[in-house]
Amino acid sequence: MFLERWLNQLRATLTFDVDEASADRYRILRRNLVVLMAVVTLVPLVLMAAINYYEYRKVLSHELASPLRNIVSKTKHSFELFIAERKSAVSFIGRAYGYQELADPQRLNHIFRAVKQEFSGFVDLGLIDARGVQVNYVGPYDLKGKDYSDQNWFHEVHIRGTFVSDVFLGYRRFPHVVIAVEQMTPEGARWVLRATLDTQMFNELIASMGLDPDSDAFLINTDGVFQTPSRFYGAVLEKCPLGVPPVSYQATVIPALDPSGRPVFIAYAHFVHPNFILMAVKPQADLLRAWTTLKSELVVLFVGGTSVIFFIVYWLTGVLVRKVREADERREAAYQDMQHHHKLSSIGRLAAGVAHEINNPLAIINEKAGLMRDLLQRVPDFPYREKFETLIVAILNSVDRCRNITHRLLGFARRMDVQIEVLDVNEVLQEVLGFLEKEALYRNIDLQLNLAPTLSRIASDRGQLQQVFLNILNNAFAAVPDGGRVVVRTWDADGDRVGVSIQDNGHGMSPETLRHIFEPFFTTKKGSGTGLGLPITYGIVKKLGGCIEVQSEEGRGSTFTVYLPKKSPSLEEGGIFG
Amino acid sequence: MEMFRVLLVDDEREFVTTLGERLEIRGLTVRIAYDGPEALQALEAEPFDVVVLDVRMPGLSGLEILKRMKTSRPDVPIILLTGHSATRDGIEGMRLGAFDYLMKPIDIDRLLEKMREAVLGRTSTPAGGD
């Protein structure tokens, strides 16, 4: 339904009423075509470009983020290894020495020194009995005898066997973690070996990631609290403003906005135990620099391509519309020509019919009046002789006038036998001008001849041409005032035709008159013209395979131009009006 | 000299009778025929100096009559009358042997002149009748 309506609208934009005489219609057609073709060609291009853009961007982001993911993954393993190592060291001490030995302060002191030499980060070491009391301790504080029985980690180590704490600030305001391992005496009594580590090593591990100055990496716990200091987002034990990412033990990269509104990629990985999350933050701008370059190339390519397409569409449409317009105009001209010809031929047939019908009764009137005159002459003493003589002469004169009219009508419609001969148009013109020389002299008309001396000879009908030139010259003489000017020119128009122009500086014609001059019975010579001169001229010129053009301006004069073919026209059978 | 014997052939009675009367006033001997068969019959039966024949007639056409007359009496000159777009009929008639053609309405003096030309042209030969 909707599609149908849309298609109808589309059709409407491409077509218009044939009768619509709007001068804008070709402009509108061109605009519609340009829009439609541009849409048809550019929409798929735009879609392709958009899809490519997003797909490529996705792939590129993935590719660019993978080094970040790798380094997070590797560092996470280093952390896990570090913690596991420390945990097994504590566990090993517990198993290797046993409760009794570790309870000896000197012994514990000795072991602690050895451990500290082998493993960095150990701060103290303590032995806690089943009741939670620290029975032996080596380290910088005096914690011997401290009771841990009500602390969470003590219960947890009992449940899980080992325990690694979150980072906390110890008495020296340094971040620490605690590792505790539960052991059993042979008698079955529980005891716990507890070591404190400073987190200097954590910082070193993070530093070893070798990040850019505008990037950041840190550990948080699952509550979102910093376990190591961050370059941009806060100190140890502060809340991380980036929040806690969803659980993933694989290194994962997500895009995000940091608190300052900077678009960043966050790479992170959860630890299985303890509840740490390693996070690396890198500004997107860094990673996408290559992408930005590519993007601008893409944009240039797209804009360039689009312009080229649009230009071609616009140009092609222009050519197309111009062709359509020319075809329309040619068709229109041919149609008018045909219409005119048709009109002339119908009027010609009608005139012939009318003339024939009138000629017979006219002949009767003529004879009757003639007889009356004959009889009158035989009666010399008829009383009204003078009067009757006048009446009969009037009748005969009227018959004469009618005869002239009908004979001209018949001449107009007459079938002509064209006799083609090779002739010189200049010569024909000279002959015709011979008829008019006296009038030109008498009326002081300036008759200028501008005849091409090398004019090609043409194959045509001398008699018909004489009539053509005589008709046009008669009109020119009628149009100019005494002392006016008539210019006759001949020239080789092109390869196939010669041109003859007859120009006068007479009263000229209005555009309205100009439209009708080749129609039969149209005349401006009131009373004296039959309105058949130019239609006959037109018919003859057409018959001879030529064409006739008129230019005229009111008050300035007229120019009749006749083009005649050099080669004999193929004559169709029939009269000048078909 | 104008005592020609004329055969007028035309179906338009009003025209041909009046024309005949006028020619008689001028001293000619006139015989009128209103159609082709009658005209051919008259030509067979009587001697004529000249025939005036209308080209357009119902039944046998003027040109057909002309052809037959030229067959039976090739020595009698024939002047054609044409009532309409006549030139081609006239020329065709001339080709078939007519002496000349005139277009209706005719001028009687011109007709007489043509007759004179036709008959004198003929009478200049020894075969002349008067």
Side-chain angles (χ1 to χ4, degrees):
Chain A
M1 183 73 181
F2 176 78
L3 189 72
E4 198 180 325
R5 214 172 54 201
W6 186 80
L7 279 174
N8 280 337
Q9 261 172 11
L10 189 71
R11 204 171 300 126
T13 60
L14 284 178
T15 55
F16 41 69
D17 215 351
V18 179
D19 295 333
E20 192 186 330
S22 161
D24 282 345
R25 62 182 179 162
Y26 294 104
R27 203 174 51 73
I28 292 166
L29 177 68
R30 180 178 187 168
R31 188 196 61 198
N32 292 347
L33 272 177
V34 166
V35 168
L36 195 76
M37 281 173 74
V39 166
V40 166
T41 50
L42 292 180
V43 162
L45 186 72
V46 170
L47 278 177
M48 282 278 288
I51 290 168
N52 271 355
Y53 180 91
Y54 286 108
E55 284 299 314
Y56 200 75
R57 185 194 160 107
K58 215 162 79 185
V59 170
L60 201 68
S61 302
H62 191 262
E63 285 304 306
L64 289 172
S66 70
L68 192 64
R69 188 163 45 238
N70 288 344
I71 203 165
V72 164
S73 183
K74 233 157 47 189
T75 311
K76 177 203 162 194
H77 284 128
S78 304
F79 269 101
E80 281 175 339
L81 197 67
F82 177 81
I83 290 165
E85 230 175 38
R86 301 305 184 271
K87 217 156 68 182
S88 56
V90 174
S91 194
F92 172 77
I93 294 164
R95 283 187 202 286
Y97 296 100
Y99 181 78
Q100 294 303 329
E101 221 169 329
L102 292 172
D104 175 1
Q106 261 189 335
R107 193 80 186 126
L108 190 66
N109 197 16
H110 178 72
I111 292 165
F112 177 61
R113 277 176 212 285
V115 166
K116 232 183 144 170
Q117 264 173 4
E118 286 303 317
F119 297 100
S120 60
F122 278 91
V123 176
D124 62 8
L125 195 60
L127 181 70
I128 295 134
D129 67 7
R131 289 166 294 131
V133 178
Q134 184 149 279
V135 291
N136 199 358
Y137 173 81
V138 196
Y141 313 112
D142 185 17
L143 295 174
K144 197 169 176 177
K146 187 168 165 59
D147 187 355
Y148 292 111
S149 62
D150 56 348
Q151 287 200 3
N152 271 345
W153 68 265
F154 186 69
H155 295 289
E156 204 166 317
V157 80
H158 184 46
I159 295 161
R160 300 172 62 148
T162 59
F163 169 77
V164 180
S165 76
D166 286 351
V167 173
F168 64 97
L169 291 180
Y171 293 105
R172 289 184 300 178
R173 311 307 300 165
F174 265 107
H176 292 92
V177 286
V178 164
I179 295 174
V181 180
E182 190 184 56
Q183 301 283 347
M184 292 280 194
T185 60
E187 297 79 34
R190 288 171 54 232
W191 53 276
V192 171
L193 190 62
R194 174 186 186 273
T196 308
L197 298 165
D198 72 27
T199 58
Q200 187 54 40
M201 266 311 284
F202 285 12
N203 297 344
E204 280 166 26
L205 280 174
I206 282 171
S208 74
M209 290 168 80
L211 291 170
D212 305 329
D214 52 358
S215 301
D216 201 355
F218 43 81
L219 276 182
I220 59 171
N221 67 10
T222 48
D223 295 327
V225 175
F226 280 117
Q227 304 295 297
T228 62
S230 155
R231 201 179 280 168
F232 301 118
Y233 304 113
V236 176
L237 296 185
E238 281 177 12
K239 192 84 176 164
C240 173
L242 295 167
V244 180
V247 176
S248 166
Y249 297 102
Q250 294 280 331
T252 305
V253 180
I254 52 169
L257 285 178
D258 78 356
S260 63
R262 195 168 57 145
V264 293
F265 285 117
I266 298 174
Y268 70 93
H270 283 252
F271 290 26
V272 180
H273 185 76
N275 293 327
F276 289 163
I277 305 163
L278 176 63
M279 287 175 79
V281 178
K282 202 172 165 74
Q284 286 189 14
D286 281 5
L287 286 176
L288 294 178
R289 196 161 293 133
W291 164 243
T292 312
T293 317
L294 188 79
K295 195 164 68 179
S296 55
E297 278 167 11
L298 246 162
V299 166
V300 166
L301 207 69
F302 178 75
V303 169
T306 308
S307 321
V308 166
I309 288 176
F310 192 81
F311 173 77
I312 289 173
V313 162
Y314 191 80
W315 175 75
L316 263 183
T317 313
V319 170
L320 197 74
V321 169
R322 201 172 59 238
K323 293 270 176 219
V324 168
R325 181 179 200 152
E326 282 167 6
D328 278 1
E329 282 167 357
R330 268 202 301 277
R331 195 195 55 195
E332 183 71 12
Y335 178 73
Q336 275 182 0
D337 210 38
M338 197 190 73
Q339 214 179 19
H340 185 61
H341 197 265
H342 186 70
K343 200 158 143 187
L344 283 185
S345 88
S346 330
I347 291 173
R349 272 197 288 273
L350 180 71
V354 170
H356 178 223
E357 289 307 314
I358 287 178
N359 255 4
N360 273 327
L362 212 55
I364 296 169
I365 294 169
N366 188 49
E367 293 315 314
K368 297 287 181 196
L371 182 55
M372 282 163 77
R373 191 189 215 175
D374 291 352
L375 293 174
L376 200 60
Q377 272 162 2
R378 292 174 68 179
V379 190
D381 52 350
F382 185 65
Y384 299 109
R385 188 194 166 90
E386 292 285 317
K387 181 71 178 166
F388 268 63
E389 184 69 42
T390 320
L391 291 174
I392 288 164
V393 166
I395 292 173
L396 289 175
N397 283 344
S398 297
V399 167
D400 246 16
R401 268 176 68 185
C402 286
R403 179 168 50 190
N404 276 338
I405 294 168
T406 56
H407 281 193
R408 290 187 95 139
L409 279 176
L410 289 169
F412 171 69
R414 188 166 57 208
R415 288 163 183 273
M416 303 185 307
D417 292 315
V418 175
Q419 289 178 324
I420 301 296
E421 58 185 302
V422 176
L423 50 83
D424 180 355
V425 173
N426 289 343
E427 211 177 276
V428 177
L429 276 166
Q430 299 275 20
E431 285 163 13
V432 172
L433 287 165
F435 294 118
L436 295 162
E437 258 166 11
K438 277 218 171 68
E439 188 183 347
L441 210 63
Y442 174 69
R443 288 178 57 200
N444 197 22
I445 290 169
D446 176 15
L447 186 58
Q448 296 179 5
L449 298 186
N450 201 342
L451 308 179
T454 58
L455 191 69
S456 306
R457 291 168 73 82
I458 67 168
S460 202
D461 182 302
R462 183 178 293 268
Q464 307 284 4
L465 282 185
Q466 282 176 343
Q467 189 170 3
V468 166
F469 296 143
L470 192 63
N471 278 344
I472 298 174
L473 281 165
N474 266 332
N475 282 346
F477 273 60
V480 294
D482 289 359
R485 190 178 67 244
V486 175
V487 183
V488 182
R489 282 192 193 89
T490 58
W491 70 95
D492 274 294
D494 47 49
D496 305 325
R497 302 189 301 172
V498 297
V500 179
S501 81
I502 293 164
Q503 183 183 10
D504 67 66
N505 66 344
H507 47 66
M509 288 177 276
S510 67
E512 180 61 26
T513 304
L514 206 55
R515 256 204 296 284
H516 296 295
I517 55 167
F518 292 123
E519 288 176 15
F521 308 117
F522 178 85
T523 178
T524 53
K525 300 174 193 161
K526 288 188 185 64
S528 63
T530 56
L532 291 172
L534 283 177
I536 287 172
T537 302
Y538 178 90
I540 292 172
V541 172
K542 282 274 162 188
K543 175 97 179 167
L544 295 176
C547 67
I548 185 164
E549 288 171 6
V550 193
Q551 276 147 9
S552 188
E553 203 179 325
E554 232 169 338
R556 300 285 296 273
S558 311
T559 306
F560 281 75
T561 309
V562 178
Y563 293 100
L564 294 164
K566 290 179 183 173
K567 291 210 177 90
S568 164
S570 56
L571 293 169
E572 73 262 38
E573 259 303 303
I576 52 170
F577 300 114
Chain B
M1 165 175 154
E2 295 196 346
M3 295 299 288
F4 300 146
R5 287 157 298 176
V6 184
L7 175 60
L8 296 183
V9 190
D10 197 329
D11 62 309
E12 191 75 63
R13 282 166 193 264
E14 284 285 357
F15 170 76
V16 78
T17 49
T18 316
L19 180 62
E21 207 175 324
R22 294 187 73 193
L23 291 175
E24 277 171 353
I25 286 171
R26 281 162 177 77
L28 281 79
T29 308
V30 176
R31 166 81 161 87
I32 295 172
Y34 298 115
D35 58 28
E38 194 186 340
L40 289 169
Q41 218 174 355
L43 194 64
E44 289 290 326
E46 303 164 36
F48 290 106
D49 295 308
V50 62
V51 177
V52 176
L53 173 63
D54 189 11
V55 172
R56 292 280 282 210
M57 284 205 291
L60 222 46
S61 84
L63 291 179
E64 189 56 37
I65 297 168
L66 172 69
K67 263 190 256 177
R68 294 194 190 182
M69 282 179 169
K70 277 289 152 194
T71 320
S72 60
R73 296 290 301 273
D75 55 326
V76 181
I78 299 168
I79 295 168
L80 292 175
L81 296 185
T82 60
H84 79 127
S85 60
T87 320
R88 207 163 77 160
D89 282 351
I91 290 166
E92 178 66 12
M94 303 271 287
R95 203 175 60 77
L96 289 173
F99 179 77
D100 207 342
Y101 64 93
L102 290 170
M103 226 161 162
K104 282 186 184 176
I106 52 168
D107 179 35
I108 193 143
D109 292 332
R110 200 162 151 63
L111 177 62
L112 282 171
E113 202 177 309
K114 285 274 174 230
M115 282 178 171
R116 214 173 285 134
E117 280 174 25
V119 177
L120 291 182
R122 193 184 61 110
T123 49
S124 70
T125 66
D130 53 23

